[in-house]
Amino acid sequence: MKILVFGSNGLVGKSIVRRFNSSSDKYTVIESTRNDTDLFSYKETSKKIGESNPDIVIIAAAKVGGIYANNTQRFSFIIENLKISMNIFESLVDFPNVKIVNIGSSCIYPLNADSPISEESLMTGKLEPTNSPYSMAKLSSLEIAKTMEEQFGHKILNLMPTNLYGPNDRFEEFNSHVIPGLIYKMHKGKISNSDEVEIWGSGSPLREFMHVDDLSSAIDFLLETDSSYELLNIGSNEVISIKELAKLIKKIVKYDGDLKFNSSFPDGNPKKLLDSTKVNKLGWKSNISLEKGIQDTYDWYVKNID
């Protein structure tokens, strides 16, 4: 079976490619990046799908970033992610036998949803303001998927992973997610012998994190599992405060300076933990602990930084 992975050069895409290239001879992986296909172009997207003739399409392509990037590039986040979803889904309308795995984000759920957040919380309240444009784009992709299933008979599995991290992430100060951003800051502080590292926010929000390879293992598992679910949360069931996370990264990086929390930056959602009961009952669970996963990520970072 041929799997076409859109966004194969990113954090999620690279992990998926590694997984399916190594786990079984059953699949042939077709990688697609912005170098071969402009997903902002319907013509190029449609051409790639037609030439590849895949059995499965995994949508891992997206414009992503941390709280600062989401809050300062709001127009880009909604427009670019809408274009990607619209072009891929529309290009697949004439391929009803192609199974689609659409990778979304836990930010689609309302700010005040009960924790742990179940799939039933979808569309029951207001979104978290700092990343609502990105969330709206991802919600739109769910609605597009639903209409394709209803009108054309496609089989689409929408996966909502918790906060992901791992090798091949974006490690920088302003546009990173929290774990790669903290790794970047503390490694830089370690090398420069800085007395302190500033961390945005109060440190009090509670978050769930999952190594990206756990998401890839979930996709592999679900492609082999007979399930009627159209929407599934994929989480680690571990929750940690940003302050405790920072201390853990400090220990792994071996940074000796102080951690300074700057409360003038927004905290975002005070607590976000997904309810992964459905996928757990099917037989899948994450198996990479947070400490082991961050150590793996930091080891990769040290080997691959410029």
Side-chain angles (χ1 to χ4, degrees):
M1 298 181 72
K2 291 190 289 185
I3 299 180
L4 173 58
V5 181
F6 283 117
S8 63
N9 201 40
L11 167 68
V12 175
K14 278 187 176 292
S15 176
I16 291 169
V17 169
R18 285 196 307 271
R19 177 80 186 192
F20 284 97
N21 276 338
S22 63
S23 65
S24 171
D25 293 333
K26 179 178 179 179
Y27 300 106
T28 299
V29 179
I30 303 168
E31 300 182 45
S32 179
T33 72
R34 66 185 63 187
N35 294 326
D36 63 72
T37 307
D38 178 7
L39 294 177
F40 298 155
S41 164
Y42 169 76
K43 182 178 180 180
E44 285 196 30
T45 307
S46 182
K47 180 182 178 183
K48 182 66 178 182
I49 291 170
E51 290 176 345
S52 302
N53 192 27
D55 300 289
I56 300 166
V57 169
I58 300 178
I59 306 173
K63 178 179 177 62
V64 297
I67 189 170
Y68 179 84
N70 271 275
N71 204 27
T72 58
Q73 302 174 42
R74 299 173 68 83
F75 181 82
S76 298
F77 269 86
I78 189 168
I79 290 295
E80 293 185 21
N81 284 296
L82 278 173
K83 286 180 179 179
I84 291 169
S85 293
M86 289 171 63
N87 287 330
I88 293 175
F89 280 120
E90 187 175 0
S91 296
L92 286 164
V93 165
D94 294 330
F95 297 88
N97 294 322
V98 174
K99 186 167 185 176
I100 304 169
V101 179
N102 178 35
I103 301 173
S105 167
S106 59
C107 71
I108 63 166
Y109 293 116
L111 172 63
N112 295 320
D114 291 338
S115 184
I117 306 169
S118 72
E119 291 89 346
E120 286 69 33
S121 298
L122 187 70
M123 301 289 286
T124 60
K126 292 183 178 181
L127 299 170
E128 205 286 310
T130 59
N131 61 9
S132 58
Y134 178 73
S135 305
M136 287 298 297
K138 289 300 181 181
L139 283 168
S140 296
S141 77
L142 292 183
E143 192 67 14
I144 294 170
K146 181 180 178 181
T147 59
M148 282 182 67
E149 289 178 316
E150 293 171 345
Q151 190 168 343
F152 303 111
H154 288 72
K155 178 66 176 176
I156 303 172
L157 177 59
N158 299 287
L159 302 181
M160 300 301 121
T162 192
N163 298 296
L164 298 172
Y165 69 95
N168 301 293
D169 210 337
R170 176 182 291 174
F171 296 83
E172 55 183 82
E173 184 171 359
F174 293 105
N175 296 312
S176 296
H177 287 111
V178 59
I179 287 180
L182 290 177
I183 287 175
Y184 170 84
K185 286 183 176 182
M186 291 192 205
H187 181 78
K188 184 178 178 182
K190 173 185 173 181
I191 298 303
S192 64
N193 293 313
S194 172
D195 291 335
E196 66 178 25
V197 163
E198 182 182 72
I199 300 172
W200 297 340
S202 67
S204 62
L206 299 171
R207 292 289 183 269
E208 175 188 29
F209 297 96
M210 185 174 71
H211 193 284
V212 68
D213 287 351
D214 270 339
L215 173 61
S216 298
S217 76
I219 295 171
D220 193 356
F221 171 83
L222 290 167
L223 287 177
E224 299 293 327
T225 303
D226 185 19
S227 165
S228 60
Y229 290 120
E230 297 176 356
L231 174 66
L232 280 173
N233 290 339
I234 310 292
S236 65
N237 299 315
E238 284 187 89
V239 68
I240 188 172
S241 72
I242 298 300
K243 183 173 289 186
E244 292 304 312
L245 173 70
K247 291 178 181 178
L248 176 59
I249 294 174
K250 177 182 176 180
K251 182 183 80 169
I252 290 170
V253 173
K254 295 183 173 61
Y255 170 63
D256 294 329
D258 295 326
L259 304 179
K260 180 183 178 182
F261 292 87
N262 187 342
S263 297
S264 66
F265 286 91
D267 276 335
N269 198 324
K271 181 178 181 181
K272 192 161 74 171
L273 170 67
L274 291 182
D275 182 350
S276 299
T277 300
K278 289 181 180 178
V279 72
N280 292 160
K281 284 185 175 180
L282 288 174
W284 178 87
K285 289 185 179 180
S286 66
N287 60 22
I288 303 174
S289 71
L290 185 59
E291 183 164 359
K292 182 181 183 300
I294 293 176
Q295 183 69 63
D296 167 71
T297 303
Y298 181 59
D299 290 345
W300 180 91
Y301 174 72
V302 170
K303 292 176 182 176
N304 290 274
I305 59 173
D306 293 334

